[in-house]
Amino acid sequence: MSSSTYNQPSQEQISSQGSFFKGVAQVTGTTLLSITLLTSSIVAGGLVGLAISFRNLPDVRQIKNFFPSETTYIYDIKGKLLSSVHGEANREVVPLNRISPNLKRAVLASEDGHFYQHHGINPSGVGRAIVVNMVAGGVKEGGSTITMQLVKNLFLSQKRAFTRKLAEAVLAIRLEQILEKNEILEMYLNQVYWGHNNYGVQTAARSYFNKSAEVLTLGESAMMAGLIQAPEEFSPFASMEKAKQKQKEVLGRMRDLNWITQKEYDNALNEKIKLGKIRSFQGSALPYITNTVAQEIVRDKDLGREKLLKGGMRIQTTVDAKFQKMAEETVSKWHEILLGQGLSKNQMALVSIDPRTHFIKALVGGVDSKTSEFNRATQAQRQPGSSFKPFVYYAAFATGKYGPDSTVIDAPVGYRDGNGWYYPRNYDGGFSGAMSIRTALAQSRNIPVIKLGKAVGMNKVIDTCRTLGIMSPMEPVTSLPLGAIGVTPLEMASAYATFANYGWQSPTTVIARITDSTGNVIRDNTPKPKQVLDPWASAAIIDAMQSVVTSGTGKNAAIDRPAAGKTGTTSSEKDIWFVGTVPQLTTAVWVGRDDNRQLSSGATGGVMVAPIWRDFMTEALKGVPVENFKSPSQFPRPKSN
């Protein structure tokens, strides 16, 4: 709760509350005044007894620990607003000194002209309401002070009843013994409902007039104050005529109280009102990014869904909106190109990560977020095919017994598996005899990688995958090195990024920093890398994967700088991949169909996906200096067991 000093409701900042209310207009009508004063004395005299009888009312002291639900805002790395996330209440809390004096005066004039004089209830107002209700035979007029309205909103039901009005009065008196007037007014202005799912003055001001509550004019303030009793009915979005009518009533009340001059009244009434737009439940500018943020928050045991919807967090993502848009446009363009090449109903995902920080720089979960927000980059478990092979070769290199130039034999072999004999085959159906691991990887031969997996142990391959963050179910079966498991493009990009950073790893994230609405840091994801893989083995697999791009199945991914990567094509051409990296950026691209059917006969990662990777990386690396990978010789080779 802010302790800021409230500017008294006059055009000049008046330090004395008493001087402000000097000259306030008196209630007219001698008959009503007489009845009101009589009734007021009865009400005031009975309140002490009522306070004793209302023993079961809520404890207003709880309000000291009250935090209203508040909208969470998500921004890109440069501070551009991407989306707001909230539950029922779209609210941004602001301190009293950041609310326009015009609005404070207008609300007080409209709702409680004697706010700074009474102690929770206004006897004349309550008395007048009782008379009106007695004559009407029911509850027709409230007579509530701002304090009474606040306790009603926070502690009581909205049912209109005489007993509830009495409870409001008792609680209001109690509340005024706990909080200062400015604290009550600040809480009220941030709590009250202004229509169109806007709670609190800040979200309402941004919605109705596209500006902060701090700079609202007198005309805008009077129009907003007129909304409180029936926001949707008097909304200028619904009827400018009715909104102007209420504005005039509020300005008239301010004029009667001598809080504004006739000139100010006239100017405000003639002020041209420029409306904003209804903002609640707007779509995200970058839905794949903001949805990924939401998933990450919900998974966090210290934050969770409730904090996301009501916690008023300010989330800075790791993504530049322009860079993300470029990635989305690349995916959209290549979707159309692949359709022309016969890959009907193709879907696509792209994830780009800075290997030095493991910050996500771009994440595209499909060809069009408007038609489908299903995020294939983070949610689709698809087989990686041969892009899984570097994990096997890394496990071999980490033993110290093998290196990129070690010899393997590409020849027929059979293994007895749980379901009988398994005879692995290469993609082309042939065999090439003795070759280096570098060549076997570059040509994506299947038999050598299976032999090596069996030699080092499939459980070590699984351990490597777990270290790299791949958590899909895996069994140490003979076919594991061929990638017959489910992985996401995000997992693949993150794993390759760890290779590109020579075994150093930070948690992969789309969130750089989280603060609360007052600027206190909740989460700081400044990278804290840990060495999780052997640096020599990591550099060795990067060195071998450079041959994939220079002379192997990934030649179509070649760009004007050193690059390492691996193609992936599953059986029946259901999933095709290219995952590759330069020292500053790692990117995984996947193409497949949502129904998991064949894309096209002969579709391969090297022919159809590598060019997408090349196109994206060429654009992404514009202006980025060319860097060479570190040589394995720069690291100590692990001792073989």
Side-chain angles (χ1 to χ4, degrees):
M1 189 64 59
S2 171
S3 60
S4 58
T5 302
Y6 168 60
N7 294 322
Q8 297 298 336
S10 64
Q11 195 59 36
E12 299 178 354
Q13 294 183 349
I14 301 173
S15 58
S16 168
Q17 293 179 6
S19 62
F20 163 66
F21 286 101
K22 192 175 181 179
V24 171
Q26 301 299 315
V27 178
T28 59
T30 54
T31 303
L32 177 61
L33 180 59
S34 301
I35 298 173
T36 298
L37 291 174
L38 175 62
T39 313
S40 298
S41 61
I42 298 172
V43 172
L47 279 177
V48 174
L50 284 170
I52 297 172
S53 65
F54 280 90
R55 295 180 183 275
N56 295 324
L57 288 177
D59 184 356
V60 294
R61 289 174 295 182
Q62 298 173 14
I63 206 166
K64 284 285 189 179
N65 300 316
F66 173 74
F67 296 98
S69 61
E70 192 173 354
T71 298
T72 291
Y73 295 92
I74 303 174
Y75 303 88
D76 84 342
I77 191 70
K78 294 182 177 178
K80 175 183 172 63
L81 180 64
L82 302 179
S83 181
S84 58
V85 184
H86 54 82
E88 179 186 347
N90 178 27
R91 176 187 288 112
E92 179 180 349
V93 174
V94 288
L96 198 61
N97 62 2
R98 285 185 50 205
I99 299 173
S100 166
N102 291 318
L103 182 62
K104 288 179 278 194
R105 287 199 300 267
V107 170
L108 288 174
S110 174
E111 299 298 314
D112 190 355
H114 296 85
F115 175 71
Y116 279 96
Q117 290 178 319
H118 63 64
H119 297 286
I121 64 169
N122 182 359
S124 63
V126 175
R128 182 172 59 252
I130 290 176
V131 171
V132 171
N133 294 335
M134 287 174 63
V135 172
V139 180
K140 294 296 182 183
E141 184 172 322
S144 295
T145 64
I146 277 178
T147 313
M148 292 170 70
Q149 291 182 49
L150 181 60
V151 297
K152 176 187 70 176
N153 290 336
L154 294 180
F155 297 112
L156 302 173
S157 74
Q158 301 301 307
K159 182 179 179 182
R160 294 176 69 90
F162 180 71
T163 54
R164 195 208 68 194
K165 297 302 294 183
L166 292 176
E168 282 179 24
V170 174
L171 289 176
I173 292 173
R174 292 178 181 175
L175 187 63
E176 295 244 359
Q177 295 170 347
I178 296 170
L179 299 181
E180 296 179 0
K181 286 287 187 179
N182 288 347
E183 293 178 306
I184 293 170
L185 182 59
E186 177 182 294
M187 184 172 283
Y188 175 82
L189 291 172
N190 281 298
Q191 188 70 22
V192 73
Y193 179 60
W194 300 86
H196 304 293
N197 201 246
N198 292 299
Y199 290 78
V201 292
Q202 185 73 322
T203 51
R206 294 195 189 282
S207 183
Y208 285 112
F209 307 114
N210 196 30
K211 59 172 63 174
S212 169
E214 195 169 8
V215 294
L216 289 174
T217 65
L218 180 57
E220 293 164 343
S221 297
M223 185 171 286
M224 257 185 66
L227 298 173
I228 293 176
Q229 296 305 321
E232 261 78 26
E233 180 180 354
F234 296 109
S235 164
F237 293 127
S239 170
M240 180 58 79
E241 182 180 352
K242 288 186 176 181
K244 291 290 289 183
Q245 173 191 331
K246 291 299 292 184
Q247 177 197 47
K248 186 175 182 179
E249 290 179 15
V250 174
L251 289 169
R253 176 65 176 155
M254 296 177 78
R255 179 70 189 94
D256 291 342
L257 291 169
N258 290 325
W259 292 1
I260 60 173
T261 65
Q262 185 64 45
K263 183 178 180 181
E264 289 173 321
Y265 172 90
D266 294 335
N267 289 343
L269 205 57
N270 295 321
E271 181 184 321
K272 186 176 180 180
I273 299 294
K274 184 178 180 181
L275 291 180
K277 59 183 179 180
I278 299 173
R279 294 170 176 263
S280 287
F281 302 112
Q282 278 188 308
S284 167
L286 301 175
Y288 289 128
I289 296 300
T290 52
N291 288 349
T292 303
V293 167
Q295 292 164 14
E296 193 168 324
I297 294 292
V298 169
R299 285 196 304 265
D300 191 316
K301 60 181 176 59
D302 295 324
L303 298 175
R305 177 180 170 81
E306 190 80 0
K307 190 78 171 175
L308 175 68
L309 295 178
K310 299 180 180 180
M313 296 183 291
R314 307 299 188 261
I315 303 172
Q316 181 189 34
T317 69
T318 59
V319 173
D320 183 316
K322 289 184 178 178
F323 192 88
Q324 171 70 14
K325 283 290 187 184
M326 180 273 292
E328 291 179 3
E329 289 166 3
T330 300
V331 166
S332 180
K333 178 181 78 174
W334 278 94
H335 167 65
E336 297 297 328
I337 292 173
L338 294 181
L339 286 176
Q341 294 178 0
L343 274 69
S344 62
K345 297 183 179 180
N346 73 80
Q347 268 295 347
M348 200 177 303
L350 181 153
V351 180
S352 202
I353 293 173
D354 186 333
R356 301 161 298 185
T357 62
H358 271 71
F359 278 178
I360 294 171
K361 309 309 292 183
L363 187 147
V364 186
V367 299
D368 185 1
S369 62
K370 295 183 178 65
T371 59
S372 169
E373 286 195 15
F374 176 64
N375 197 331
R376 295 154 190 85
T378 61
Q379 296 172 303
Q381 298 270 340
R382 305 300 290 249
Q383 291 191 8
S386 292
S387 61
F388 186 88
K389 290 174 180 175
F391 307 142
V392 182
Y393 286 123
Y394 165 82
F397 295 164
T399 66
K401 298 177 181 179
Y402 305 91
D405 297 317
S406 298
T407 300
V408 289
I409 308 298
D410 179 21
V413 67
Y415 297 98
R416 190 174 184 84
D417 238 340
N419 298 321
W421 283 89
Y422 171 61
Y423 299 96
R425 298 173 56 225
N426 291 309
Y427 185 77
D428 61 6
F431 306 96
S432 300
M435 60 177 61
S436 67
I437 288 177
R438 182 188 306 278
T439 301
L441 182 62
Q443 295 181 5
S444 200
R445 310 303 286 179
N446 290 341
I447 292 173
V449 76
I450 289 176
K451 286 183 174 180
L452 215 54
K454 296 289 282 187
V456 301
M458 295 300 180
N459 283 318
K460 284 191 176 180
V461 175
I462 293 174
D463 289 344
T464 295
C465 293
R466 298 299 184 227
T467 300
L468 289 168
I470 298 173
M471 296 300 159
S472 303
M474 293 182 219
E475 296 294 332
V477 296
T478 304
S479 60
L480 177 65
L482 303 185
I485 62 167
V487 296
T488 66
L490 176 58
E491 287 176 321
M492 292 299 288
S494 177
Y496 276 52
T498 303
F499 287 148
N501 202 27
Y502 313 105
W504 288 91
Q505 183 188 70
S506 295
T508 300
T509 182
V510 73
I511 298 173
R513 182 181 173 91
I514 305 175
T515 63
D516 63 20
S517 58
T518 60
N520 297 312
V521 177
I522 297 173
R523 183 78 77 252
D524 182 356
N525 282 341
T526 299
K528 300 177 178 64
K530 296 180 180 179
Q531 185 90 57
V532 298
L533 298 181
D534 180 82
W536 179 88
S538 300
I541 193 61
I542 287 291
D543 184 57
M545 284 196 291
Q546 289 185 72
S547 297
V548 175
V549 177
T550 57
S551 59
T553 58
K555 286 186 289 186
N556 286 327
I559 51 179
D560 60 351
R561 62 183 69 213
K566 185 67 188 75
T567 56
T569 305
T570 63
S571 60
S572 303
E573 294 87 22
K574 293 179 179 179
D575 299 284
I576 54 179
W577 300 72
F578 189 84
V579 189
T581 187
V582 299
Q584 306 100 315
L585 196 66
T586 304
T587 300
V589 181
W590 164 86
V591 177
R593 285 175 52 142
D594 284 341
D595 59 12
N596 203 28
R597 298 179 65 181
Q598 183 184 44
L599 280 161
S600 177
S601 179
T604 65
V607 173
M608 294 182 170
V609 186
I612 304 172
W613 187 91
R614 179 188 63 213
D615 189 17
F616 169 77
M617 293 293 279
T618 299
E619 189 68 24
L621 295 170
K622 282 184 177 178
V624 177
V626 174
E627 283 189 19
N628 292 311
F629 289 106
K630 293 180 180 179
S631 167
S633 62
Q634 294 178 250
F635 302 97
R637 182 167 178 162
K639 295 180 180 179
S640 59
N641 297 324

